[in-house]
Coordinates of all heavy atoms in Angstrom, one line a residue:
M1 N 0.2 77.2 -38.6 CA 1.2 76.7 -37.6 C 2.4 76.1 -38.4 O 2.2 75.3 -39.3 CB 0.5 75.6 -36.7 CG 1.3 75.4 -35.4 SD 0.4 74.3 -34.3 CE -0.9 75.4 -33.8
P2 N 3.6 76.4 -38.0 CA 4.7 75.9 -38.8 C 4.9 74.4 -38.6 O 4.6 73.8 -37.6 CB 5.9 76.7 -38.1 CG 5.3 77.8 -37.4 CD 3.9 77.4 -37.0
L3 N 5.5 73.9 -39.7 CA 5.8 72.4 -39.7 C 7.3 72.3 -39.3 O 8.2 72.9 -39.9 CB 5.6 71.8 -41.0 CG 5.9 70.4 -41.2 CD1 5.0 69.5 -40.3 CD2 5.8 69.9 -42.6
Y4 N 7.6 71.5 -38.3 CA 8.9 71.3 -37.8 C 9.3 69.9 -38.0 O 8.5 69.0 -38.0 CB 9.1 71.7 -36.4 CG 8.9 73.2 -36.1 CD1 7.7 73.6 -35.5 CD2 9.9 74.1 -36.4 CE1 7.5 75.0 -35.3 CE2 9.7 75.4 -36.2 CZ 8.5 75.9 -35.6 OH 8.3 77.2 -35.4
E5 N 10.6 69.7 -38.3 CA 11.1 68.3 -38.5 C 12.0 68.0 -37.2 O 12.8 68.8 -36.8 CB 11.9 68.2 -39.7 CG 12.4 66.8 -40.0 CD 13.1 66.7 -41.3 OE1 13.4 67.8 -42.0 OE2 13.4 65.6 -41.8
Y6 N 11.7 66.8 -36.7 CA 12.5 66.3 -35.6 C 13.2 65.0 -35.9 O 12.8 64.3 -36.7 CB 11.5 66.1 -34.4 CG 10.8 67.4 -33.9 CD1 9.7 67.8 -34.6 CD2 11.4 68.2 -32.9 CE1 9.1 69.0 -34.2 CE2 10.8 69.3 -32.5 CZ 9.6 69.8 -33.2 OH 9.0 70.9 -32.8
C7 N 14.3 64.8 -35.1 CA 15.0 63.6 -35.3 C 15.2 63.0 -33.9 O 15.8 63.7 -33.0 CB 16.4 63.8 -35.9 SG 17.3 62.3 -36.3
C8 N 14.8 61.8 -33.7 CA 14.9 61.1 -32.4 C 16.3 60.7 -32.1 O 17.0 60.2 -32.9 CB 14.0 59.9 -32.3 SG 14.1 59.0 -30.7
L9 N 16.8 61.1 -30.9 CA 18.2 60.8 -30.5 C 18.3 59.3 -30.1 O 19.5 58.8 -30.1 CB 18.6 61.7 -29.3 CG 18.5 63.2 -29.6 CD1 19.0 64.0 -28.4 CD2 19.2 63.6 -30.8
D10 N 17.2 58.7 -29.8 CA 17.3 57.3 -29.4 C 17.3 56.3 -30.6 O 18.1 55.4 -30.7 CB 16.2 57.0 -28.4 CG 16.5 57.6 -27.1 OD1 17.6 58.1 -26.8 OD2 15.5 57.6 -26.2
C11 N 16.3 56.5 -31.5 CA 16.1 55.5 -32.5 C 16.4 56.1 -33.9 O 16.3 55.5 -34.9 CB 14.8 54.9 -32.5 SG 13.4 56.0 -32.8
E12 N 16.7 57.4 -33.9 CA 17.1 58.1 -35.2 C 15.9 58.2 -36.2 O 16.1 58.4 -37.3 CB 18.3 57.5 -35.8 CG 19.6 57.7 -35.0 CD 20.8 57.2 -35.8 OE1 20.7 56.4 -36.7 OE2 21.9 57.7 -35.4
T13 N 14.7 58.1 -35.7 CA 13.6 58.3 -36.5 C 13.3 59.7 -36.8 O 13.5 60.6 -35.8 CB 12.3 57.7 -35.8 OG1 12.4 56.3 -35.8 CG2 11.0 58.0 -36.6
R14 N 13.1 60.1 -38.0 CA 12.7 61.5 -38.3 C 11.2 61.6 -38.5 O 10.6 60.7 -39.1 CB 13.5 61.9 -39.6 CG 14.9 62.1 -39.4 CD 15.6 62.5 -40.6 NE 15.3 63.8 -41.0 CZ 16.1 64.6 -41.8 NH1 17.2 64.2 -42.1 NH2 15.7 65.8 -42.1
F15 N 10.7 62.6 -38.0 CA 9.2 62.9 -38.1 C 8.9 64.4 -38.1 O 9.7 65.2 -37.7 CB 8.5 62.1 -37.0 CG 8.8 62.6 -35.6 CD1 8.1 63.5 -35.0 CD2 9.9 62.0 -35.0 CE1 8.4 63.9 -33.7 CE2 10.3 62.4 -33.7 CZ 9.5 63.3 -33.1
D16 N 7.8 64.7 -38.7 CA 7.4 66.1 -38.8 C 6.3 66.3 -37.7 O 5.5 65.4 -37.4 CB 6.9 66.4 -40.2 CG 7.9 66.3 -41.2 OD1 9.1 66.6 -40.9 OD2 7.6 65.8 -42.3
A17 N 6.2 67.6 -37.3 CA 5.1 67.9 -36.3 C 4.8 69.4 -36.5 O 5.6 70.2 -36.7 CB 5.6 67.7 -34.9
L18 N 3.5 69.6 -36.5 CA 3.0 71.0 -36.5 C 2.9 71.5 -35.1 O 2.2 71.0 -34.3 CB 1.6 71.0 -37.2 CG 1.5 70.8 -38.7 CD1 0.1 70.6 -39.1 CD2 2.1 72.0 -39.4
R19 N 3.7 72.5 -34.8 CA 3.7 73.1 -33.5 C 3.8 74.6 -33.6 O 4.2 75.2 -34.6 CB 4.9 72.6 -32.7 CG 5.2 71.1 -32.8 CD 6.3 70.7 -31.9 NE 5.9 70.5 -30.5 CZ 6.8 70.3 -29.5 NH1 8.0 70.3 -29.7 NH2 6.3 70.1 -28.3
S20 N 3.3 75.2 -32.5 CA 3.5 76.7 -32.4 C 4.9 77.0 -32.3 O 5.7 76.2 -31.9 CB 2.7 77.2 -31.2 OG 3.3 76.8 -30.0
M21 N 5.3 78.2 -32.7 CA 6.7 78.6 -32.7 C 7.3 78.6 -31.3 O 8.4 78.2 -31.1 CB 6.9 80.0 -33.3 CG 6.6 80.0 -34.8 SD 6.8 81.6 -35.6 CE 8.6 81.8 -35.5
S22 N 6.4 78.9 -30.3 CA 6.9 78.9 -28.9 C 7.1 77.5 -28.4 O 7.9 77.4 -27.5 CB 5.9 79.6 -28.1 OG 4.6 79.0 -28.1
A23 N 6.5 76.5 -29.1 CA 6.7 75.1 -28.6 C 7.7 74.4 -29.4 O 8.0 73.2 -29.2 CB 5.4 74.4 -28.6
A24 N 8.3 75.0 -30.4 CA 9.1 74.3 -31.4 C 10.3 73.6 -30.7 O 10.7 72.5 -31.2 CB 9.6 75.3 -32.4
D25 N 10.9 74.2 -29.7 CA 12.1 73.6 -29.1 C 11.8 72.9 -27.8 O 12.7 72.5 -27.2 CB 13.1 74.7 -28.9 CG 13.7 75.2 -30.2 OD1 14.0 74.4 -31.1 OD2 13.9 76.5 -30.3
K26 N 10.6 72.7 -27.5 CA 10.2 72.0 -26.3 C 10.2 70.5 -26.6 O 10.1 70.1 -27.8 CB 8.8 72.4 -25.8 CG 8.8 73.8 -25.3 CD 7.5 74.2 -24.8 CE 7.5 75.7 -24.2 NZ 6.2 76.2 -23.8
P27 N 10.4 69.7 -25.6 CA 10.5 68.2 -25.8 C 9.2 67.7 -26.6 O 8.1 68.2 -26.4 CB 10.5 67.6 -24.4 CG 11.1 68.7 -23.6 CD 10.5 70.0 -24.2
I28 N 9.5 66.8 -27.5 CA 8.4 66.1 -28.2 C 8.6 64.6 -28.2 O 9.7 64.2 -28.2 CB 8.3 66.7 -29.6 CG1 7.1 66.2 -30.4 CG2 9.6 66.4 -30.4 CD1 6.8 66.9 -31.7
T29 N 7.5 63.9 -28.1 CA 7.6 62.5 -28.0 C 7.8 61.8 -29.4 O 7.1 62.1 -30.3 CB 6.3 61.9 -27.4 OG1 6.1 62.5 -26.1 CG2 6.4 60.4 -27.2
C30 N 8.8 60.9 -29.4 CA 9.0 60.2 -30.7 C 7.9 59.2 -30.9 O 7.5 58.5 -30.0 CB 10.4 59.5 -30.6 SG 10.6 58.3 -31.9
P31 N 7.3 59.2 -32.1 CA 6.2 58.3 -32.5 C 6.7 56.8 -32.5 O 5.9 55.9 -32.5 CB 5.7 58.8 -33.8 CG 6.9 59.4 -34.4 CD 7.7 60.0 -33.3
E32 N 8.0 56.6 -32.7 CA 8.5 55.2 -32.8 C 8.8 54.6 -31.4 O 8.3 53.5 -31.1 CB 9.8 55.2 -33.6 CG 9.5 55.3 -35.1 CD 8.8 54.1 -35.6 OE1 9.1 53.0 -35.3 OE2 7.8 54.3 -36.4
C33 N 9.6 55.3 -30.6 CA 10.0 54.7 -29.4 C 9.3 55.3 -28.1 O 9.5 54.8 -27.0 CB 11.5 54.7 -29.2 SG 12.2 56.4 -29.1
G34 N 8.6 56.4 -28.3 CA 7.9 57.0 -27.2 C 8.8 57.8 -26.3 O 8.3 58.3 -25.3
Q35 N 10.0 58.0 -26.6 CA 10.9 58.8 -25.7 C 10.8 60.2 -26.1 O 10.7 60.6 -27.3 CB 12.4 58.3 -25.9 CG 12.6 56.8 -25.5 CD 12.3 56.6 -24.0 OE1 12.7 57.4 -23.1 NE2 11.5 55.6 -23.7
E36 N 11.0 61.1 -25.1 CA 11.0 62.5 -25.4 C 12.5 63.0 -25.7 O 12.9 63.9 -25.1 CB 10.4 63.3 -24.3 CG 8.9 63.2 -24.2 CD 8.3 64.2 -23.3 OE1 9.0 64.8 -22.5 OE2 7.0 64.3 -23.3
H37 N 13.1 62.3 -26.6 CA 14.5 62.7 -26.9 C 14.7 63.1 -28.3 O 15.7 63.0 -28.9 CB 15.4 61.4 -26.6 CG 15.5 61.1 -25.1 ND1 15.9 59.9 -24.7 CD2 15.3 61.9 -24.1 CE1 15.9 59.9 -23.4 NE2 15.5 61.1 -23.0
A38 N 13.6 63.6 -28.9 CA 13.7 64.1 -30.3 C 14.2 65.6 -30.3 O 13.7 66.4 -29.5 CB 12.4 64.0 -30.9
R39 N 15.0 65.9 -31.2 CA 15.5 67.2 -31.3 C 15.1 67.8 -32.6 O 15.0 67.1 -33.7 CB 17.0 67.3 -31.2 CG 17.6 68.6 -31.4 CD 19.0 68.7 -30.9 NE 19.1 68.5 -29.5 CZ 20.1 68.8 -28.7 NH1 21.2 69.3 -29.3 NH2 20.1 68.5 -27.5
R40 N 14.8 69.1 -32.7 CA 14.3 69.7 -33.9 C 15.5 69.7 -34.9 O 16.6 70.1 -34.6 CB 13.9 71.1 -33.6 CG 13.3 71.8 -34.8 CD 12.3 72.9 -34.4 NE 12.9 74.0 -33.7 CZ 13.4 75.1 -34.3 NH1 13.2 75.3 -35.6 NH2 13.9 76.0 -33.6
A41 N 15.2 69.2 -36.1 CA 16.2 69.1 -37.1 C 16.2 70.4 -37.9 O 17.3 71.1 -38.1 CB 15.9 68.0 -38.1
I42 N 15.1 70.8 -38.5 CA 15.1 72.0 -39.4 C 13.7 72.4 -39.6 O 12.8 71.6 -39.7 CB 15.9 71.8 -40.7 CG1 16.1 73.1 -41.4 CG2 15.1 70.8 -41.6 CD1 17.0 72.9 -42.6
S43 N 13.5 73.7 -39.7 CA 12.1 74.2 -40.0 C 11.9 74.2 -41.5 O 12.7 74.7 -42.3 CB 11.9 75.6 -39.4 OG 10.8 76.1 -40.0
L44 N 10.8 73.5 -41.9 CA 10.5 73.5 -43.4 C 10.4 74.9 -43.9 O 10.9 75.3 -44.9 CB 9.3 72.7 -43.6 CG 8.9 72.4 -45.1 CD1 10.1 71.6 -45.7 CD2 7.6 71.6 -45.1
F45 N 9.6 75.7 -43.2 CA 9.4 77.1 -43.7 C 10.7 77.9 -43.7 O 11.0 78.6 -44.6 CB 8.3 77.8 -42.8 CG 7.0 77.3 -43.1 CD1 5.9 77.6 -42.2 CD2 6.7 76.5 -44.2 CE1 4.6 77.1 -42.5 CE2 5.4 76.0 -44.4 CZ 4.4 76.3 -43.6
A46 N 11.5 77.7 -42.6 CA 12.7 78.4 -42.5 C 13.7 78.0 -43.6 O 14.4 78.8 -44.2 CB 13.4 78.2 -41.2
A47 N 13.6 76.7 -44.0 CA 14.5 76.2 -45.0 C 14.1 76.8 -46.4 O 15.0 77.2 -47.2 CB 14.4 74.7 -45.1
I48 N 12.8 77.0 -46.6 CA 12.4 77.6 -47.9 C 12.8 79.1 -47.9 O 13.3 79.5 -48.9 CB 10.8 77.4 -48.0 CG1 10.5 76.0 -48.1 CG2 10.4 78.2 -49.2 CD1 9.0 75.7 -48.1
S49 N 12.5 79.8 -46.9 CA 12.7 81.2 -46.9 C 14.2 81.6 -46.9 O 14.6 82.6 -47.4 CB 12.0 81.9 -45.7 OG 12.6 81.4 -44.5
S50 N 15.0 80.8 -46.3 CA 16.4 81.1 -46.1 C 17.3 80.8 -47.3 O 18.2 81.4 -47.7 CB 17.0 80.5 -44.9 OG 17.0 79.1 -45.0
S51 N 16.9 79.6 -48.0 CA 17.8 79.2 -49.1 C 17.0 78.9 -50.3 O 17.6 78.6 -51.4 CB 18.5 77.9 -48.6 OG 17.6 76.8 -48.4
G52 N 15.7 78.8 -50.3 CA 14.9 78.5 -51.5 C 14.9 77.0 -51.7 O 14.3 76.6 -52.7
V53 N 15.5 76.2 -50.9 CA 15.5 74.8 -51.1 C 14.9 74.1 -49.9 O 15.1 74.5 -48.7 CB 17.0 74.3 -51.2 CG1 17.0 72.8 -51.4 CG2 17.6 75.0 -52.4
I54 N 14.1 73.1 -50.1 CA 13.5 72.4 -49.0 C 14.5 71.3 -48.5 O 14.9 70.4 -49.2 CB 12.2 71.7 -49.5 CG1 11.2 72.7 -50.0 CG2 11.7 70.8 -48.4 CD1 9.9 72.2 -50.5
A55 N 14.8 71.5 -47.2 CA 15.6 70.5 -46.5 C 17.0 70.3 -47.0 O 17.7 69.3 -46.6 CB 14.9 69.2 -46.5
G56 N 17.5 71.2 -47.8 CA 18.9 71.1 -48.2 C 19.3 69.9 -49.0 O 18.5 69.3 -49.7
N57 N 20.5 69.4 -48.9 CA 21.0 68.3 -49.7 C 21.8 67.3 -48.9 O 23.0 67.5 -48.8 CB 21.8 68.9 -50.9 CG 22.8 69.9 -50.5 OD1 23.2 69.9 -49.3 ND2 23.3 70.7 -51.4
G58 N 21.2 66.3 -48.5 CA 22.0 65.2 -47.9 C 22.3 65.4 -46.4 O 21.9 64.7 -45.6
G59 N 23.0 66.5 -46.1 CA 23.4 66.7 -44.8 C 22.5 67.5 -43.9 O 22.9 68.2 -43.0
S60 N 21.2 67.4 -44.3 CA 20.2 68.3 -43.6 C 20.0 67.9 -42.2 O 19.3 68.6 -41.5 CB 18.9 68.3 -44.4 OG 18.3 67.0 -44.2
C61 N 20.5 66.9 -41.7 CA 20.3 66.5 -40.3 C 21.5 67.0 -39.4 O 21.7 66.6 -38.3 CB 20.2 65.0 -40.1 SG 18.7 64.6 -39.1
A62 N 22.2 68.0 -40.0 CA 23.3 68.5 -39.2 C 22.9 69.2 -37.9 O 23.7 69.4 -37.0 CB 24.1 69.5 -40.1
Q63 N 21.6 69.5 -37.9 CA 21.1 70.1 -36.7 C 20.8 69.1 -35.6 O 20.6 69.4 -34.4 CB 19.7 70.8 -37.0 CG 19.9 72.0 -38.0 CD 20.8 73.1 -37.4 OE1 20.7 73.4 -36.3 NE2 21.6 73.6 -38.3
C64 N 20.8 67.8 -35.9 CA 20.7 66.8 -35.0 C 21.8 66.8 -34.0 O 23.0 67.2 -34.3 CB 20.7 65.4 -35.6 SG 19.0 64.8 -36.0
A65 N 21.6 66.4 -32.8 CA 22.6 66.4 -31.7 C 23.8 65.5 -32.2 O 24.9 65.8 -31.9 CB 22.0 66.0 -30.4
S66 N 23.4 64.4 -32.8 CA 24.5 63.5 -33.2 C 25.2 64.0 -34.4 O 26.3 63.6 -34.7 CB 23.9 62.1 -33.5 OG 23.0 62.2 -34.6
G67 N 24.6 64.9 -35.2 CA 25.2 65.3 -36.4 C 25.2 64.3 -37.5 O 25.8 64.5 -38.5
N68 N 24.5 63.2 -37.2 CA 24.6 62.1 -38.2 C 23.3 61.4 -38.1 O 23.0 60.6 -37.2 CB 25.7 61.2 -37.9 CG 25.7 60.0 -38.9 OD1 24.9 60.0 -39.9 ND2 26.6 59.1 -38.7
C69 N 22.4 61.5 -39.1 CA 21.1 60.9 -39.1 C 21.1 59.9 -40.3 O 20.0 59.6 -40.8 CB 20.0 61.9 -39.2 SG 18.8 61.6 -37.9
A70 N 22.2 59.4 -40.7 CA 22.3 58.5 -41.9 C 21.4 57.2 -41.6 O 21.0 56.6 -42.6 CB 23.7 58.1 -42.1
G71 N 21.2 56.9 -40.4 CA 20.4 55.7 -40.1 C 18.9 55.9 -40.1 O 18.2 54.9 -40.0
C72 N 18.5 57.1 -40.4 CA 17.1 57.4 -40.4 C 16.4 56.7 -41.5 O 16.9 56.6 -42.6 CB 16.9 58.9 -40.6 SG 17.1 59.8 -39.0
H73 N 15.3 56.1 -41.3 CA 14.5 55.4 -42.3 C 13.7 56.4 -43.1 O 13.1 56.1 -44.2 CB 13.6 54.4 -41.7 CG 14.4 53.3 -41.0 ND1 15.3 52.5 -41.7 CD2 14.4 52.9 -39.8 CE1 15.8 51.7 -40.8 NE2 15.3 51.9 -39.6
N74 N 13.5 57.6 -42.6 CA 12.6 58.6 -43.2 C 13.3 59.7 -43.9 O 12.7 60.8 -44.1 CB 11.7 59.2 -42.1 CG 10.9 58.1 -41.4 OD1 10.6 57.0 -42.0 ND2 10.4 58.4 -40.2
H75 N 14.5 59.4 -44.3 CA 15.2 60.5 -45.1 C 14.3 60.9 -46.3 O 14.0 60.1 -47.1 CB 16.5 59.9 -45.6 CG 17.7 60.6 -44.9 ND1 18.9 60.8 -45.4 CD2 17.8 61.1 -43.6 CE1 19.7 61.4 -44.5 NE2 19.0 61.6 -43.4
A76 N 14.1 62.2 -46.4 CA 13.2 62.6 -47.5 C 13.9 63.2 -48.6 O 13.3 63.7 -49.6 CB 12.2 63.7 -46.9
H77 N 15.2 63.2 -48.6 CA 15.9 63.7 -49.7 C 16.9 62.8 -50.4 O 16.6 61.7 -50.6 CB 16.8 64.9 -49.3 CG 17.3 64.8 -47.9 ND1 16.8 65.3 -46.8 CD2 18.3 64.0 -47.4 CE1 17.5 65.0 -45.7 NE2 18.4 64.2 -46.1
Ligands
ZN1 ZN1 12.7 57.3 -31.2

């Protein structure tokens, strides 16, 4: 099952979740605030296959609705 990365629109927490591809874009509950306002940031597998790099460089949260996840505490890069 693919690993997807999500970014909460409410508290900007980033977290990973294993979900089926069909459920990847469905609402997911944020583990921090409990709101279902998390948006998928980037697929780990897709990032590897498309660019050979995991999660890009710095601006990898561009997929977030806000386009800015600088406040995230879980930045992995
Ligand atoms: Zn949240």
Side-chain angles (χ1 to χ4, degrees):
M1 197 174 292
L3 178 68
Y4 295 104
E5 183 174 10
Y6 296 86
C7 185
C8 178
L9 303 183
D10 286 348
C11 66
E12 295 189 334
T13 293
R14 288 180 68 153
F15 58 96
D16 298 324
L18 287 169
R19 310 185 85 190
S20 65
M21 291 182 69
S22 60
D25 289 319
K26 292 181 180 176
I28 186 170
T29 301
C30 170
E32 280 296 316
C33 66
Q35 299 297 313
E36 286 191 349
H37 291 160
R39 176 161 298 194
R40 186 154 61 96
I42 193 169
S43 165
L44 188 59
F45 287 167
I48 293 174
S49 60
S50 63
S51 67
V53 178
I54 297 177
N57 48 17
S60 71
C61 228
Q63 298 296 322
C64 267
S66 66
N68 178 8
C69 234
C72 281
H73 297 300
N74 298 337
H75 250 211
H77 37 257

